[in-house]
Amino acid sequence: MSTRQYNYLIVGAGFAGSVAAERLASKGNKILLVEKRNHIAGNAFDEYDEHGILVHKYGPHIFHTNSKKVFEYLSQFTEWRKYEHRVLANLDGELYPIPINRTTINKLYNKNFTTEDEVKEYYESVREKRSPILNSEDIIVNQVGVDLYEKFFKYYTKKQWELDPSELSSSVCGRIPIRTNTDDRYFTDQYQFMPKDGYTKMFEKILAHPNIKILLNTDYKEIINKIEFDKIIYTGPIDSFFDYEFGKLPYRSLHFEWENHKTEFYQKVTSVNFVNSEKYTRITEHKYFSNQKSNTTTITKEYPQMEGEPFYPIPNDENSVLVTKYKSNVSKLNNVKFIGRLAEYKYYNMDQVIGRILSLY
Ligand code: FAD
Ligand code: UDP
């Protein structure tokens, strides 16, 4: 093993950086983990607010996966609380289950479908065949036609991305299934849980290895010339690493408006999506994540914006051209690994990022 001060400089203490740090430290490597924010856990960070409610500071984070490997890995660092996410869409002031399912269709169109076949037939009668599927409009219209697309996807997507669904990769709206049964859970993965004491506590345990030194409030660019290391694992935005050589890559951000209400519950489910009104996309009520008992409740309204912390890569053709240029730079470096949602410019869920790290290290 090298005699340098650190075997790895890891940039970013989100899932990618922290799981990589733990894996490598457990094999005897010395790690310096540098994070520019004042906390670990990246966008999964949670903490108790001034009203004593555990809140997800960067928007609702629901752990869901079909990977036994990922679930078992994290289970070393946390106990779990069973949690199945439910979302309602507010359309013209009425609430409908989302993803669209049989209940949504029955309520919206005053139908009385009782079987999956009836709903399948209904979709068949309204869908507009699109081939090839080139974008997020195609993928929805091809399944359920224009009316459902316009009601549940078009306006919400425009708010979220400042782009029409026809200007976004099909993978964006394609994240949302269309159902014929009455399953109203947002996800159907085998493992759906919340870390019992929250994400931040779980990260503290992941990072509690004597070989890991953590430096918060520090941009790696400030210290990179002052330390000795063999390799870098970089989980920040890819364009920033190369000082925007080919131009800035757009990342979508969010502004959160926080409100505490003096009532036990504010809404019926964790998140309500405003699909044809408001400037915010959704309201999330944080108490549902932890099942806390309290006389007040804390909610957030999410306002999408371009400026601010990078949260979402924006998957479309134009950006993929730019990403390819940056990735060709990456392939010229042999001691830096780019990994994670910002560094790979991929709309990953948490379990996908963890899965990537576990298969590499
Ligand atoms: P991040 O968590 O973004 O971590 C990267 C870290 O690098 C950040 O902490 C950043 O501050 C740091 N960094 C960047 N540049 C530098 C620098 N120059 N120097 C030092 N540090 C730097 N996934 C799910 O599975 N389920 C969900 O329900 C879910 N909901 C989400 C909701 C929202 C609003 C958002 C934004 C994301 C959601 N995700 C969800 C996705 C999840 O947040 C990501 O998959 C995961 O956080 C990716 O981890 P990461 O380590 O790649 O990135
Ligand atoms: N979407 C939509 N209407 C909804 C829910 C989702 O149009 O009610 C679209 C929208 O473009 C959104 C994408 O589907 O950005 C993915 O939704 P998801 O809930 O996975 O977004 P995230 O939780 O990552 O913000």
Side-chain angles (χ1 to χ4, degrees):
M1 203 161 270
S2 148
T3 54
R4 284 189 223 267
Q5 196 179 4
Y6 297 105
N7 302 106
Y8 286 88
L9 166 64
I10 301 186
V11 179
F15 269 109
S18 299
V19 174
E22 187 281 326
R23 287 290 72 220
L24 291 162
S26 73
K27 291 175 188 141
N29 293 288
K30 281 172 280 159
I31 313 289
L32 179 63
L33 179 62
V34 183
E35 168 57 57
K36 74 177 167 59
R37 295 193 236 183
N38 64 2
H39 59 74
I40 56 170
N43 288 337
F45 178 68
D46 55 12
E47 65 176 2
Y48 287 90
D49 71 1
E50 74 241 54
H51 310 284
I53 293 166
L54 184 65
V55 297
H56 292 188
K57 285 304 264 196
Y58 303 99
H61 276 71
I62 298 95
F63 176 72
H64 58 99
T65 190
N66 284 318
S67 165
K68 189 166 186 238
K69 185 167 133 187
V70 168
F71 177 67
E72 285 180 350
Y73 172 77
L74 288 183
S75 301
Q76 302 172 78
F77 308 103
T78 187
E79 288 176 39
W80 299 101
R81 187 175 97 71
K82 186 80 198 144
Y83 173 85
E84 292 183 317
H85 194 50
R86 284 186 170 78
V87 178
L88 290 169
N90 179 314
L91 173 74
D92 296 326
E94 281 292 320
L95 297 172
Y96 300 88
I98 194 98
I100 294 171
N101 67 20
R102 195 194 306 157
T103 313
T104 318
I105 300 298
N106 281 341
K107 178 167 178 183
L108 185 62
Y109 297 118
N110 213 4
K111 302 277 185 197
N112 209 0
F113 296 141
T114 52
T115 64
E116 297 208 33
D117 280 346
E118 285 172 300
V119 184
K120 222 179 270 171
E121 243 171 66
Y122 180 76
Y123 293 152
E124 202 51 52
S125 73
V126 291
R127 71 182 276 244
E128 213 177 77
K129 278 186 192 147
R130 300 264 171 114
S131 176
I133 304 290
L134 295 175
N135 55 54
S136 270
E137 178 187 303
D138 289 344
I139 196 163
I140 301 300
V141 170
N142 184 60
Q143 294 177 85
V144 296
V146 173
D147 195 49
L148 286 165
Y149 160 74
E150 286 188 343
K151 285 189 160 74
F152 291 101
F153 290 91
K154 194 175 165 88
Y155 182 71
Y156 185 99
T157 298
K158 271 195 171 161
K159 271 194 291 192
Q160 170 69 13
W161 302 96
E162 227 172 285
L163 290 171
D164 190 82
S166 62
E167 299 170 294
L168 277 167
S169 156
S170 63
S171 62
V172 175
C173 287
R175 287 165 62 87
I176 312 299
I178 303 286
R179 302 208 177 110
T180 48
N181 58 20
T182 54
D183 191 345
D184 65 348
R185 296 170 305 162
Y186 207 60
F187 308 106
T188 51
D189 301 52
Q190 188 178 353
Y191 305 98
Q192 305 188 44
F193 294 97
M194 280 291 153
K196 196 161 154 263
D197 301 315
Y199 288 97
T200 307
K201 282 273 175 268
M202 178 174 76
F203 271 80
E204 282 170 8
K205 291 204 173 129
I206 293 174
L207 293 171
H209 193 287
N211 286 359
I212 304 176
K213 182 177 160 64
I214 305 171
L215 207 52
L216 296 177
N217 299 304
T218 309
D219 190 314
Y220 79 101
K221 289 185 184 180
E222 293 165 19
I223 53 105
I224 192 161
N225 294 321
K226 300 181 192 153
I227 52 160
E228 288 187 335
F229 57 89
D230 296 322
K231 289 182 181 163
I232 302 181
I233 296 174
Y234 180 77
T235 77
I238 187 170
D239 57 347
S240 156
F241 185 91
F242 295 107
D243 297 321
Y244 311 103
E245 181 183 340
F246 305 116
K248 250 177 129 20
L249 265 171
Y251 289 89
R252 198 77 174 141
S253 191
L254 297 170
H255 166 73
F256 299 100
E257 286 287 333
W258 294 87
E259 292 172 15
N260 181 263
H261 290 262
K262 295 197 173 18
T263 170
E264 198 182 357
F265 286 102
Y266 180 85
Q267 60 192 24
K268 283 194 188 132
V269 289
T270 316
S271 291
V272 174
N273 289 0
F274 289 78
V275 291
N276 73 343
S277 62
E278 313 302 344
K279 288 210 164 62
Y280 46 85
T281 48
R282 58 188 172 194
I283 294 183
T284 294
E285 183 165 8
H286 294 256
K287 253 166 117 171
Y288 284 109
F289 295 129
S290 54
N291 197 25
Q292 273 179 268
K293 305 285 172 265
S294 158
N295 295 331
T296 77
T297 192
T298 300
I299 61 157
T300 40
K301 295 177 176 165
E302 289 176 38
Y303 292 85
Q305 58 181 30
M306 288 315 294
E307 58 283 358
E309 281 287 330
F311 287 154
Y312 295 87
I314 306 178
N316 67 14
D317 293 344
E318 191 183 332
N319 298 336
S320 90
V321 171
L322 199 48
V323 174
T324 308
K325 286 190 188 164
Y326 281 113
K327 287 194 175 163
S328 71
N329 267 7
V330 171
S331 59
K332 290 175 203 149
L333 304 170
N334 53 22
N335 69 338
V336 192
K337 185 85 199 160
F338 286 70
I339 197 148
R341 176 144 147 155
L342 307 173
E344 295 178 76
Y345 204 77
K346 287 226 169 99
Y347 194 171
Y348 284 139
N349 290 326
M350 298 184 280
D351 67 318
Q352 293 171 303
V353 170
I354 300 161
R356 302 258 304 126
I357 301 286
L358 295 184
S359 54
L360 276 169
Y361 304 109

